[in-house]
Amino acid sequence: MKKIAVFTSGGDAPGMNACVRAVVRTALYHNIEVVGIRRGYRGMIDGDFVPMTSYSVSNIIGQGGTILKSARCDEFRDIKWRKVAYDNCVKEGIEGLVAIGGNGTFTGAELLMENFGIPTIGCPGTIDNDLYGTDYTIGFDTAVNTALDAIDKIRDTAASHDRVFFVEVMGRDAGFIAMQCGIGGGAEKILVPENPDSIDDVIGTLKSGGEKEKPSHIVVVAEGEEIGNAHFIAQKAKEALPNLDIRVSNLGHIQRGGSPSAIDRIIASRMGIAAVEGLLKGKNNVMSGIIDDKVVYTSFNDAINKKKALDVDLIKMVKILNS
Amino acid sequence: MKKIAVFTSGGDAPGMNACVRAVVRTALYHNIEVVGIRRGYRGMIDGDFVPMTSYSVSNIIGQGGTILKSARCDEFRDIKWRKVAYDNCVKEGIEGLVAIGGNGTFTGAELLMENFGIPTIGCPGTIDNDLYGTDYTIGFDTAVNTALDAIDKIRDTAASHDRVFFVEVMGRDAGFIAMQCGIGGGAEKILVPENPDSIDDVIGTLKSGGEKEKPSHIVVVAEGEEIGNAHFIAQKAKEALPNLDIRVSNLGHIQRGGSPSAIDRIIASRMGIAAVEGLLKGKNNVMSGIIDDKVVYTSFNDAINKKKALDVDLIKMVKILNS
Amino acid sequence: MKKIAVFTSGGDAPGMNACVRAVVRTALYHNIEVVGIRRGYRGMIDGDFVPMTSYSVSNIIGQGGTILKSARCDEFRDIKWRKVAYDNCVKEGIEGLVAIGGNGTFTGAELLMENFGIPTIGCPGTIDNDLYGTDYTIGFDTAVNTALDAIDKIRDTAASHDRVFFVEVMGRDAGFIAMQCGIGGGAEKILVPENPDSIDDVIGTLKSGGEKEKPSHIVVVAEGEEIGNAHFIAQKAKEALPNLDIRVSNLGHIQRGGSPSAIDRIIASRMGIAAVEGLLKGKNNVMSGIIDDKVVYTSFNDAINKKKALDVDLIKMVKILNS
Amino acid sequence: MKKIAVFTSGGDAPGMNACVRAVVRTALYHNIEVVGIRRGYRGMIDGDFVPMTSYSVSNIIGQGGTILKSARCDEFRDIKWRKVAYDNCVKEGIEGLVAIGGNGTFTGAELLMENFGIPTIGCPGTIDNDLYGTDYTIGFDTAVNTALDAIDKIRDTAASHDRVFFVEVMGRDAGFIAMQCGIGGGAEKILVPENPDSIDDVIGTLKSGGEKEKPSHIVVVAEGEEIGNAHFIAQKAKEALPNLDIRVSNLGHIQRGGSPSAIDRIIASRMGIAAVEGLLKGKNNVMSGIIDDKVVYTSFNDAINKKKALDVDLIKMVKILNS
């Protein structure tokens, strides 16, 4: 293998740059040329390639976002456009790809491989942590700490005013962020899609808290939460408990940005190295992940389709920790 | 004067605890007894007084929120309940009050003084910075830096995806927070109530930015902005510029919390000292503020009713800085 | 078991308070009374016990340091004083202990058990991560991120002035902190006690960096590094490479403080729960740790005497990542 | 004026990049060409000029350090080399200079003007805040908050172990940083060069603190403090008070780096705009500063030679706030 390309795709996540850096430097270490593709599959179709040197990735390990940019690319679902993308790669002399992103990214890579046989290894870059085949995805730990910092701030004002706050955090269909920042933030209740709570449970918790003279509460709600989003649940709670001062805060996009945490920089670096070294060993169509602190490769098929389980036993902790 | 009381009222602000600490310690320094009133006027009516010692305020200088708590108290508008509050103060032996809060807080204090003659000095504690008689209010600098940090994070994701973000910040009827964190965050446009912008201006800026190949933008919107809140303006912009990827982020209550910045701790300490020493010198019905780095006292009447001007010339800066 | 005690001992670590909170609330959840012992073994000898309620540990999950305080206690090596400590526990009705700390803490607990048979479970609280029987110790992730933040700041000034910085981090005889924050900070070289580097290696790296027109460097040095501390190594490097602008920064005690990270709060909570539930199940003389995300108990003997290996393969990463 | 140059010189300070950005964009706004000179006077002698566009300064407002780099340049004291520098400027077509830095930077600029008549305006960029003609220098507020954050962390460990910490902060011959972060950090004592304290005073404070059962203390020491540096003073205190557990922490270079605070970004932007607009108005040999929130120009001569007074009355606050 003489030349590879690296790109980021899907929602940006802190640590993607650390991963790009690792891919570039590992390629150079093995005397492989490396180009960056800007805006993911969009740039692959447009032929938006940039040569990468050691200097291109200098001092980006601590930067949020992705210097290679990311974009939606609906055309990529059409084999006609995948052909264009593939032809661009061939013209550029690219013999392997490293794709940093989530589910959608890997689906695209799998199709490209299936149609045209270009070897690809993925690195799990998403704040949601919802990928099978790795304990942590790149960006998850940073997003959790950002959300936790926000919850700490909201706790200040909740405690000062004896208020109840429903805090909505990201996570699409997965409660990983909610669970971590909820436990870390000392939330009185955590609502995640994996664990159906009835509105009555929530109201019960708030009610018994009020009776214990603990009138300030934080309820963390994952955006994908089954019984409705934070505003909806808060509305129901207000109706049932009109004496409580109930507020809602949707943390929103701040959870995607910021300088990556130590863990995110380290796993991004390890996964990036593993991706390039995997390509060199002939691996293909797999995601490099870390399980029990060891690098493992999981087929794109499994990474996309298998469900990573949230340890719902952690929810029991919440009850104990609020005794 | 042998005994005074201190309380916080209105929306909590970072640095209120630093101010409480300064009030308590300054009183003790002058051999004056000091009690805290919990939950502001609410606690004054309920007789919820707690004796304060040097130890009560130990290690609170860096804590967000207010250890004395705050609450709404609509009854206080009724002289009947103000009489109850006053009687409680008399019973407790309180000869002077330090009120930490904003407009509403000082209005209450003024009425109490008018009705019953209890000397009160205020300290401006509000993140909004909308009080006449001080360059900075306690909490403003921290809120600005919190909002700035959020904008930096949002910039990461905006730049990665070539997006436009409308970021709504706090400020009620004042654009101080928006202006500071907008300039600090390198915003392409800042919308404040003091400076009427038409929707067309906003759209024009976004359009010309797109033409300059600068497709990512941050527009900071103060919550009191005349032409509508961030969601409304964003909707209009989407209609006019359907090709842009436009998002909204409402920073919300995180702006109230967090450990106070150096400036907030220092001005809170200075104002707290000045409040107690003002009471000792026979001052009354005034707010202690800092103008041009010097402590000044402003009558409650002026602090409440005069309008602190936002330097709208700063808005010109935004245009220059985006050249 | 009707009553237990919890204490912190040895160097303080962020997350100790989260662990104290978990111990207290878990005990209450199981209807067990719980007291705190102030200043570790010192307080056990002095009989410095404080009853703990749910409210005692309210809002401490995010606080650095330890509300129970910590202290050296050389007398505890003498069985005479251990007898005094034990008698105090008996008098207080304490039937089990939870000890939060490191090596020295567990050695004390083991002796106490051996002499007088009081059941004890430990929670690994030390920033150094040098305890066998757990992947992470409480405080480690926070300390790493604090050091990383400092290195990021130093990188700003190093890059602006083309300087070389030797940054000394904590870790006693272990390179865990150095390795994590070195990789995360993009250090050009990491010196840890587990991996003997000669001065010549360091000088060689700096020299080749200079030739690559990469004149700014960060070298992270663990305080226990064999070939000498940061000042000594920097001195040698200055002598060999007089043209480089070489500086030293010893990060010092800031690494111990600060609000704990999400991970530290979560593992502290899990380990605290596991400690109390372990006591209830009759476990004794063990440390509760987390390996591969599962709670495990390790005998004090192993925790103290077995050596936790640093993955020195990570050092190879440093070479690759600086290609 | 058709073309100007901007450079940074002396110790780097957070906000220098925000100032460079403002200078570049203001020049472009007025249709003036602008180049950057790398490494200050060093680059002026070497002819190391880089053309600056709006894009060159994109997304640097929040970056620590200086993208234009800085360096010592002893040759510049020699008129022979200043002639070389000047000739390079003339060759490049540079008609005016904006110099961002401190005392030494302005001394160089003054000489260059005196010898060859090239108009220069300075922007005060130094964390030390020791320049006459401005309330705040660029970088000061960030450095203070960085030091304050470190002191907060050290307080955690000091309080947990009942320790006394001597914390040395930067400031060369000025106590501005020490004073601000000392008051903000609730220090029990602040030692600054402007206010001679005898060792006995320090020891007296520590002693009386110990008697008040307040055994943990923070003493902030400015690096230029007259009675000796932190290590020296701590040694004396240890000898006098052997029962106290006394430690030293030198915060060092972390104080120079990091993302600038809101204030630093705003004043850097305002001063940068004022520098370019000053040049356009024919101003010369002056520093743009901000006093009482208004832009003012002060001659280099005054900025360098007049002494900015530290408000030593603030020291009285320390005594009151520790009552």
Side-chain angles (χ1 to χ4, degrees):
Chain A
M1 205 165 273
K2 290 196 180 139
K3 192 173 186 176
I4 63 169
V6 58
F7 62 96
T8 55
S9 168
D12 65 317
M16 279 187 160
N17 282 327
C19 192
V20 170
R21 170 182 178 264
V23 169
V24 169
R25 297 240 168 119
T26 309
L28 297 177
Y29 179 81
H30 290 291
N31 297 310
I32 298 168
E33 223 178 313
V34 56
V35 297
I37 306 174
R38 281 156 52 96
R39 294 186 180 79
Y41 295 117
R42 174 80 270 146
M44 209 183 280
I45 291 173
D46 296 346
D48 192 356
F49 301 111
V50 281
M52 303 297 280
T53 65
S54 179
Y55 184 79
S56 317
V57 293
S58 185
N59 271 339
I60 66 167
I61 195 172
Q63 274 179 33
T66 160
I67 60 163
L68 293 178
K69 299 207 172 193
S70 184
R72 286 187 66 90
C73 182
D74 291 337
E75 285 116 321
F76 207 72
R77 293 193 193 146
D78 182 343
I79 189 168
K80 185 179 70 181
W81 289 108
R82 288 201 294 277
K83 176 76 168 68
V84 172
Y86 172 71
D87 289 346
N88 282 333
C89 289
V90 169
K91 211 183 307 167
E92 185 73 24
I94 293 163
E95 300 170 57
L97 296 169
V98 177
I100 305 167
N103 249 314
T105 309
F106 300 157
T107 304
E110 213 179 11
L111 287 170
L112 199 66
M113 176 66 200
E114 206 175 281
N115 301 149
F116 307 105
I118 186 163
T120 306
I121 295 194
C123 294
T126 164
I127 62 167
D128 299 326
N129 203 29
D130 58 349
L131 285 167
Y132 183 89
T134 194
D135 289 340
Y136 282 84
T137 55
I138 299 165
F140 172 62
D141 184 57
T142 307
V144 166
N145 278 289
T146 298
L148 179 58
D149 181 60
I151 291 171
D152 283 353
K153 288 187 166 74
I154 289 170
R155 173 77 71 185
D156 284 343
T157 200
S160 297
H161 289 275
D162 297 332
R163 278 180 188 153
V164 174
F165 269 91
F166 284 81
V167 181
E168 185 166 319
V169 299
M170 285 186 165
R172 276 189 307 184
D173 308 319
F176 295 99
I177 294 178
M179 190 65 92
Q180 297 281 109
C181 69
I183 294 173
E188 279 76 11
K189 191 91 185 166
I190 302 172
L191 302 179
V192 294
E194 292 87 343
N195 184 60
D197 281 278
S198 74
I199 296 275
D200 292 346
D201 281 340
V202 180
I203 291 168
T205 300
L206 297 179
K207 209 169 163 184
S208 71
E211 283 158 5
K212 277 200 303 182
E213 303 262 343
K214 196 184 176 186
S216 93
H217 276 82
I218 303 284
V219 180
V220 173
V221 186
E223 61 178 341
E225 221 286 321
E226 234 177 32
I227 56 171
N229 73 7
H231 282 280
F232 173 80
I233 303 170
Q235 193 49 46
K236 291 286 171 201
K238 276 181 203 177
E239 287 161 17
L241 303 163
N243 290 329
L244 291 186
D245 185 357
I246 294 177
R247 307 286 171 113
V248 178
S249 185
N250 185 338
L251 299 187
H253 280 84
I254 57 168
Q255 296 166 83
R256 294 208 167 280
S259 182
S261 70
I263 283 183
D264 275 331
R265 299 185 191 191
I266 293 165
I267 65 168
S269 300
R270 293 179 70 184
M271 290 169 178
I273 293 174
V276 176
E277 299 193 333
L279 280 176
L280 290 181
K281 287 176 198 149
K283 286 189 191 299
N284 180 11
N285 238 8
V286 294
M287 180 188 87
S288 69
I290 294 177
I291 295 180
D292 295 348
D293 207 38
K294 274 165 211 66
V295 168
V296 292
Y297 298 93
T298 301
S299 72
F300 278 150
N301 198 41
D302 282 0
I304 297 164
N305 297 312
K306 287 200 180 166
K307 177 89 181 158
K308 176 148 108 193
L310 177 70
D311 184 0
V312 282
D313 277 4
L314 294 176
I315 287 181
K316 277 197 309 190
M317 280 177 65
V318 177
K319 202 173 159 62
I320 295 173
L321 293 171
N322 283 296
S323 297
Chain B
M1 206 163 273
K2 290 197 181 139
K3 190 172 185 178
I4 63 170
V6 58
F7 62 96
T8 55
S9 167
D12 64 317
M16 278 186 161
N17 282 328
C19 193
V20 169
R21 170 181 178 264
V23 169
V24 169
R25 297 241 167 121
T26 308
L28 298 178
Y29 179 80
H30 292 290
N31 296 309
I32 296 168
E33 222 178 313
V34 57
V35 297
I37 305 174
R38 282 156 50 95
R39 294 187 181 77
Y41 294 117
R42 176 78 269 148
M44 210 182 279
I45 290 173
D46 296 345
D48 193 354
F49 301 110
V50 281
M52 303 296 280
T53 65
S54 179
Y55 183 80
S56 317
V57 294
S58 185
N59 273 338
I60 67 167
I61 194 171
Q63 273 179 32
T66 159
I67 60 162
L68 292 179
K69 300 207 171 190
S70 185
R72 285 186 68 89
C73 182
D74 292 337
E75 285 114 321
F76 207 73
R77 294 193 193 146
D78 183 343
I79 189 167
K80 184 180 71 180
W81 290 108
R82 288 201 294 278
K83 177 74 168 67
V84 172
Y86 172 71
D87 289 345
N88 282 332
C89 288
V90 170
K91 213 182 307 168
E92 185 74 23
I94 294 163
E95 300 170 58
L97 295 170
V98 177
I100 305 167
N103 251 313
T105 309
F106 300 159
T107 305
E110 216 180 9
L111 287 171
L112 200 65
M113 176 67 200
E114 207 175 280
N115 301 150
F116 308 104
I118 187 163
T120 306
I121 295 194
C123 293
T126 162
I127 62 167
D128 299 326
N129 202 29
D130 59 348
L131 284 168
Y132 183 90
T134 194
D135 290 340
Y136 282 84
T137 55
I138 299 165
F140 172 61
D141 185 58
T142 306
V144 166
N145 279 290
T146 298
L148 179 57
D149 180 60
I151 290 171
D152 283 353
K153 289 188 165 74
I154 289 169
R155 174 77 71 186
D156 284 341
T157 199
S160 299
H161 289 274
D162 298 331
R163 280 181 187 152
V164 174
F165 268 90
F166 285 81
V167 180
E168 184 165 321
V169 300
M170 284 187 167
R172 273 187 311 183
D173 308 319
F176 294 99
I177 294 178
M179 189 64 93
Q180 298 281 108
C181 68
I183 294 174
E188 279 75 11
K189 191 91 185 167
I190 302 172
L191 303 179
V192 294
E194 293 86 345
N195 184 61
D197 281 278
S198 75
I199 296 274
D200 292 346
D201 281 340
V202 180
I203 290 168
T205 300
L206 297 180
K207 210 170 164 182
S208 71
E211 283 158 5
K212 277 199 303 183
E213 305 259 344
K214 196 186 177 184
S216 93
H217 276 81
I218 301 285
V219 181
V220 174
V221 186
E223 60 178 341
E225 221 285 318
E226 232 176 34
I227 56 172
N229 71 9
H231 282 279
F232 173 79
I233 303 170
Q235 192 48 45
K236 291 284 171 202
K238 276 181 201 176
E239 286 162 16
L241 303 162
N243 290 329
L244 292 186
D245 185 357
I246 295 177
R247 308 287 171 113
V248 179
S249 186
N250 185 337
L251 299 187
H253 279 85
I254 59 167
Q255 296 167 83
R256 292 207 169 279
S259 182
S261 70
I263 283 183
D264 275 331
R265 298 185 193 190
I266 293 165
I267 64 168
S269 300
R270 292 179 70 184
M271 291 168 178
I273 293 174
V276 177
E277 298 192 334
L279 279 176
L280 290 181
K281 288 176 196 148
K283 287 188 192 299
N284 180 10
N285 238 7
V286 295
M287 180 189 86
S288 68
I290 294 176
I291 295 179
D292 295 349
D293 208 38
K294 276 165 210 66
V295 168
V296 292
Y297 298 91
T298 301
S299 72
F300 278 150
N301 197 41
D302 282 1
I304 296 164
N305 297 311
K306 287 201 179 164
K307 176 88 183 161
K308 175 148 112 192
L310 178 70
D311 185 0
V312 282
D313 278 6
L314 294 176
I315 286 181
K316 278 199 309 190
M317 280 178 64
V318 177
K319 203 174 159 59
I320 295 174
L321 293 172
N322 283 295
S323 297
Chain C
M1 207 165 271
K2 288 196 180 141
K3 191 172 187 179
I4 63 169
V6 57
F7 62 95
T8 55
S9 166
D12 63 317
M16 280 187 161
N17 282 328
C19 192
V20 169
R21 171 182 177 263
V23 170
V24 169
R25 297 240 168 120
T26 308
L28 297 177
Y29 180 81
H30 291 290
N31 296 310
I32 297 168
E33 223 179 312
V34 56
V35 296
I37 306 173
R38 283 157 50 94
R39 295 188 178 78
Y41 295 117
R42 174 81 269 145
M44 209 183 281
I45 291 173
D46 296 347
D48 193 354
F49 301 110
V50 281
M52 303 296 280
T53 66
S54 180
Y55 184 79
S56 317
V57 293
S58 185
N59 272 337
I60 66 167
I61 194 171
Q63 274 179 33
T66 160
I67 59 162
L68 292 178
K69 300 207 172 193
S70 185
R72 286 187 66 91
C73 181
D74 292 337
E75 284 117 321
F76 207 73
R77 294 192 193 146
D78 182 343
I79 190 168
K80 184 180 71 180
W81 290 106
R82 288 200 296 278
K83 177 74 168 66
V84 172
Y86 172 71
D87 289 345
N88 282 332
C89 289
V90 170
K91 212 184 305 169
E92 186 72 23
I94 293 163
E95 300 170 57
L97 296 170
V98 177
I100 306 167
N103 248 314
T105 309
F106 300 157
T107 305
E110 213 179 11
L111 287 171
L112 200 65
M113 175 67 199
E114 205 175 283
N115 301 149
F116 307 104
I118 186 162
T120 306
I121 295 194
C123 293
T126 163
I127 62 167
D128 299 326
N129 202 29
D130 58 349
L131 284 167
Y132 183 89
T134 193
D135 289 340
Y136 282 85
T137 55
I138 299 166
F140 172 61
D141 185 58
T142 306
V144 166
N145 278 289
T146 298
L148 179 57
D149 180 60
I151 290 171
D152 282 353
K153 288 187 165 75
I154 289 169
R155 174 77 71 185
D156 284 341
T157 202
S160 297
H161 289 276
D162 298 332
R163 278 179 188 154
V164 174
F165 268 90
F166 286 79
V167 180
E168 184 165 322
V169 299
M170 285 187 166
R172 274 187 312 182
D173 307 319
F176 294 99
I177 294 178
M179 189 65 91
Q180 297 282 108
C181 70
I183 293 173
E188 279 74 13
K189 191 93 187 166
I190 301 171
L191 303 178
V192 293
E194 292 87 344
N195 184 59
D197 281 277
S198 74
I199 296 274
D200 292 346
D201 281 339
V202 181
I203 291 169
T205 300
L206 297 180
K207 210 170 165 183
S208 71
E211 283 158 4
K212 278 198 301 183
E213 304 261 344
K214 196 185 175 184
S216 93
H217 275 82
I218 302 284
V219 180
V220 173
V221 185
E223 60 179 340
E225 221 285 318
E226 229 176 36
I227 56 171
N229 72 7
H231 281 281
F232 173 80
I233 303 170
Q235 192 49 45
K236 291 286 170 199
K238 276 181 201 177
E239 286 161 17
L241 303 162
N243 290 330
L244 292 185
D245 185 357
I246 293 176
R247 306 289 170 112
V248 178
S249 185
N250 185 339
L251 299 188
H253 279 84
I254 58 168
Q255 296 167 84
R256 293 207 167 280
S259 183
S261 70
I263 283 183
D264 276 331
R265 296 184 194 193
I266 294 165
I267 64 168
S269 300
R270 293 179 70 183
M271 290 168 177
I273 293 174
V276 176
E277 298 192 335
L279 279 177
L280 289 181
K281 288 176 199 149
K283 288 188 190 298
N284 180 12
N285 238 9
V286 294
M287 181 188 87
S288 69
I290 294 177
I291 296 180
D292 296 348
D293 207 38
K294 275 165 210 66
V295 168
V296 291
Y297 298 91
T298 301
S299 72
F300 279 151
N301 198 40
D302 282 0
I304 297 163
N305 296 313
K306 287 200 179 164
K307 176 87 181 160
K308 177 149 111 193
L310 178 70
D311 184 1
V312 282
D313 277 4
L314 294 175
I315 287 182
K316 277 198 311 190
M317 281 177 64
V318 177
K319 202 173 160 62
I320 295 174
L321 293 172
N322 282 295
S323 297
Chain D
M1 205 164 272
K2 289 197 180 139
K3 191 172 186 178
I4 62 169
V6 58
F7 63 95
T8 53
S9 166
D12 65 317
M16 279 185 160
N17 282 328
C19 194
V20 169
R21 170 181 178 266
V23 169
V24 169
R25 298 240 168 120
T26 307
L28 297 177
Y29 179 81
H30 292 289
N31 296 310
I32 297 168
E33 222 179 314
V34 56
V35 296
I37 306 174
R38 282 158 50 95
R39 294 188 181 77
Y41 295 116
R42 174 81 269 145
M44 210 184 277
I45 290 174
D46 296 346
D48 192 355
F49 300 111
V50 281
M52 303 296 280
T53 65
S54 179
Y55 184 79
S56 317
V57 293
S58 185
N59 273 338
I60 65 166
I61 194 171
Q63 274 178 34
T66 161
I67 60 162
L68 293 178
K69 298 206 173 192
S70 184
R72 286 186 66 91
C73 181
D74 292 336
E75 284 114 323
F76 207 73
R77 294 192 194 149
D78 182 344
I79 191 168
K80 185 180 72 181
W81 290 107
R82 287 201 294 278
K83 177 76 168 69
V84 172
Y86 173 72
D87 289 346
N88 282 333
C89 288
V90 171
K91 211 184 308 166
E92 185 73 23
I94 294 163
E95 300 169 58
L97 296 170
V98 177
I100 305 166
N103 250 314
T105 308
F106 300 157
T107 305
E110 213 179 12
L111 288 171
L112 199 66
M113 175 67 200
E114 206 176 280
N115 302 150
F116 307 105
I118 186 162
T120 305
I121 295 194
C123 293
T126 163
I127 62 168
D128 299 326
N129 202 30
D130 59 348
L131 284 168
Y132 183 89
T134 194
D135 288 341
Y136 281 84
T137 55
I138 299 165
F140 172 60
D141 185 57
T142 306
V144 166
N145 278 291
T146 298
L148 179 58
D149 180 60
I151 291 171
D152 282 352
K153 288 188 167 74
I154 289 169
R155 173 77 70 183
D156 284 341
T157 200
S160 298
H161 289 275
D162 297 332
R163 279 180 187 153
V164 174
F165 269 91
F166 284 81
V167 181
E168 185 166 320
V169 299
M170 285 188 165
R172 273 188 313 186
D173 307 320
F176 294 98
I177 294 177
M179 189 65 91
Q180 297 281 108
C181 70
I183 293 174
E188 279 75 12
K189 190 93 186 167
I190 302 172
L191 303 178
V192 294
E194 292 88 345
N195 184 60
D197 281 277
S198 74
I199 296 272
D200 293 346
D201 281 339
V202 181
I203 290 168
T205 299
L206 297 180
K207 210 170 164 184
S208 70
E211 283 159 4
K212 278 200 302 183
E213 304 262 342
K214 198 186 174 183
S216 92
H217 276 82
I218 301 285
V219 180
V220 174
V221 185
E223 62 179 340
E225 221 286 320
E226 230 176 36
I227 56 171
N229 71 9
H231 282 280
F232 173 80
I233 303 170
Q235 192 50 45
K236 291 286 172 200
K238 275 181 203 178
E239 287 162 15
L241 303 162
N243 290 328
L244 292 185
D245 184 357
I246 294 176
R247 306 289 170 111
V248 178
S249 185
N250 185 338
L251 299 187
H253 280 83
I254 59 167
Q255 295 167 84
R256 293 208 168 278
S259 183
S261 70
I263 284 184
D264 276 330
R265 297 184 193 191
I266 293 165
I267 64 167
S269 300
R270 294 178 70 182
M271 290 168 177
I273 292 174
V276 176
E277 299 193 334
L279 279 176
L280 290 180
K281 288 177 196 148
K283 287 190 191 299
N284 181 12
N285 237 10
V286 294
M287 180 188 88
S288 70
I290 294 176
I291 295 180
D292 295 349
D293 207 38
K294 276 166 209 64
V295 168
V296 292
Y297 297 93
T298 301
S299 72
F300 279 151
N301 197 40
D302 282 1
I304 296 164
N305 296 312
K306 286 199 179 167
K307 176 85 182 162
K308 176 148 110 192
L310 177 71
D311 184 0
V312 282
D313 277 4
L314 293 175
I315 286 182
K316 276 199 310 192
M317 280 178 65
V318 177
K319 203 174 159 60
I320 294 174
L321 292 172
N322 283 294
S323 298

